[in-house]
Amino acid sequence: QNFKKKRFTKRETFKMSSKEELIYKAKVCEQTERFEDMIEAMKQVVTMTTEELTVEERNLLSVAYKNTVGSRRTAWRALSAIEQKEESKGGKHTPLLRDYKKKIEEELSKFCNDILDLIDKVIVPKADKAESKVFFKKMKGDYYRYISEYASGEQHSKVSQEALAVYNDATTDAEELKKTNPIRLGLALNFSVFHYEVLNDPQKACTMAKTAFDDAIGEIEELGDDEYKDSTTIMQLIRDNLTLWSSELDEGEGDDK
């Protein structure tokens, strides 16, 4: 029998190797800490993918944005502390610091709105499995939460409500996942932090964290080796927060007496 080799047009060959090359480039960008370049590579992967993103693809996308935004969140917090110190002593550099902080806020808004737009318009419409939906809805809630950290007035209220709605939506979808699933646990961790830091509701944060932790402990024997490390690491973070928040609540009650 004569087997004919399938011939690819230039366009097909490029598309086949292009996605693979972009993923390889994204990994190189991660290793060399070129996270903005990593974003560009992964955005191309997202737009050329017709199906739901793979676990590897969604993780690479998440790492790219988390590090790009994370370094700016750290800079903004440090700058806020410097500004506060300068202001308290009536220093002359306060306007300069405010301007610089505004520049960082603009960069944060650019990257946060960029990923929110991508999730809404391109990623979630292709998401099929519950795990994928929860992953990206949680991610969406996280980036609204990041905006709320520096937003004020009406914008703060708006993004806080957006975050609350999407975290709630993700929590409903997460009911389909095991209670020990690391994505479900990560959602509970971040949603409880949102209640504590953004909504200033430590009681709700504690209740949410305790429920997630207790539910997961009840099913910990069923954890597979592939998820054990991720799940137990997140459970430890939930427990650490719970310990801290509970002690603060106890102190608060002590002060009231």
Side-chain angles (χ1 to χ4, degrees):
Q1 283 183 324
N2 292 324
F3 291 100
K4 285 186 179 176
K5 285 185 180 177
K6 178 168 166 56
R7 289 176 177 243
F8 293 105
T9 65
K10 272 189 178 178
R11 181 182 288 271
E12 284 176 318
T13 311
F14 174 73
K15 280 192 88 172
M16 280 180 67
S17 61
S18 177
K19 186 176 171 183
E20 187 189 332
E21 283 174 6
L22 286 164
I23 288 171
Y24 178 76
K25 184 183 176 184
K27 290 175 181 176
V28 170
C29 289
E30 181 181 6
Q31 288 168 357
T32 55
E33 299 188 7
R34 296 277 299 173
F35 296 111
E36 286 177 51
D37 291 342
M38 191 180 178
I39 283 177
E40 290 313 308
M42 287 314 298
K43 274 172 78 174
Q44 288 180 65
V45 170
V46 168
T47 50
M48 70 167 54
T49 303
T50 53
E51 296 170 353
E52 183 174 79
L53 293 183
T54 65
V55 172
E56 180 184 53
E57 287 163 1
R58 76 185 185 210
N59 285 341
L60 286 168
L61 182 73
S62 176
V63 165
Y65 276 97
K66 193 168 186 179
N67 282 281
T68 299
V69 168
S71 60
R72 287 163 174 83
R73 287 172 72 210
T74 303
W76 186 89
R77 283 195 290 264
L79 204 50
S80 295
I82 296 165
E83 180 196 14
Q84 212 171 11
K85 205 171 173 184
E86 184 72 6
E87 208 169 17
S88 67
K89 65 178 187 184
K92 62 179 181 181
H93 299 301
T94 304
L96 181 149
L97 292 166
R98 277 192 194 137
D99 285 347
Y100 192 42
K101 200 165 81 163
K102 194 166 178 242
K103 179 182 182 290
I104 293 169
E105 287 170 9
E106 284 166 4
E107 289 177 12
L108 278 164
S109 293
K110 173 181 171 279
F111 289 112
C112 289
N113 288 320
D114 193 32
I115 185 60
L116 287 168
D117 205 42
L118 204 62
I119 291 169
D120 262 351
K121 294 179 181 171
V122 186
I123 297 170
V124 167
K126 295 177 197 170
D128 188 36
K129 299 184 188 79
E131 193 174 85
S132 190
K133 287 179 186 173
V134 175
F135 183 93
F136 285 110
K137 286 178 184 179
K138 169 195 165 290
M139 197 171 171
K140 193 175 163 186
D142 291 342
Y143 283 88
Y144 275 127
R145 174 163 60 90
Y146 300 156
I147 297 171
S148 77
E149 290 173 348
Y150 60 87
S152 57
E154 196 178 317
Q155 194 204 7
H156 181 271
S157 176
K158 183 175 178 287
V159 293
S160 298
Q161 287 309 306
E162 292 276 14
L164 180 63
V166 78
Y167 275 140
N168 275 323
D169 196 17
T171 303
T172 303
D173 287 345
E175 291 296 322
E176 291 183 47
L177 307 176
K178 283 185 188 171
K179 288 168 181 174
T180 51
N181 181 292
I183 294 171
R184 178 170 174 165
L185 285 167
L187 169 64
L189 171 68
N190 291 12
F191 197 5
S192 61
V193 167
F194 170 77
H195 277 288
Y196 184 82
E197 290 184 353
V198 180
L199 299 185
N200 298 314
D201 190 346
Q203 192 64 62
K204 176 77 176 174
C206 283
T207 304
M208 186 174 284
K210 188 175 188 313
T211 301
F213 184 84
D214 291 347
D215 285 351
I217 280 287
E219 293 182 9
I220 202 157
E221 296 299 323
E222 297 169 34
L223 253 181
D225 291 343
D226 55 331
E227 290 186 337
Y228 188 85
K229 189 184 172 191
D230 287 345
S231 295
T232 52
T233 300
I234 298 166
M235 286 169 72
Q236 184 62 54
L237 291 169
I238 290 172
R239 191 165 69 172
D240 290 347
N241 283 347
L242 195 52
T243 304
L244 178 69
W245 298 340
S246 299
S247 66
E248 286 177 4
L249 277 173
D250 291 344
E251 280 174 24
E253 283 173 12
D255 292 341
D256 291 341
K257 285 173 186 173

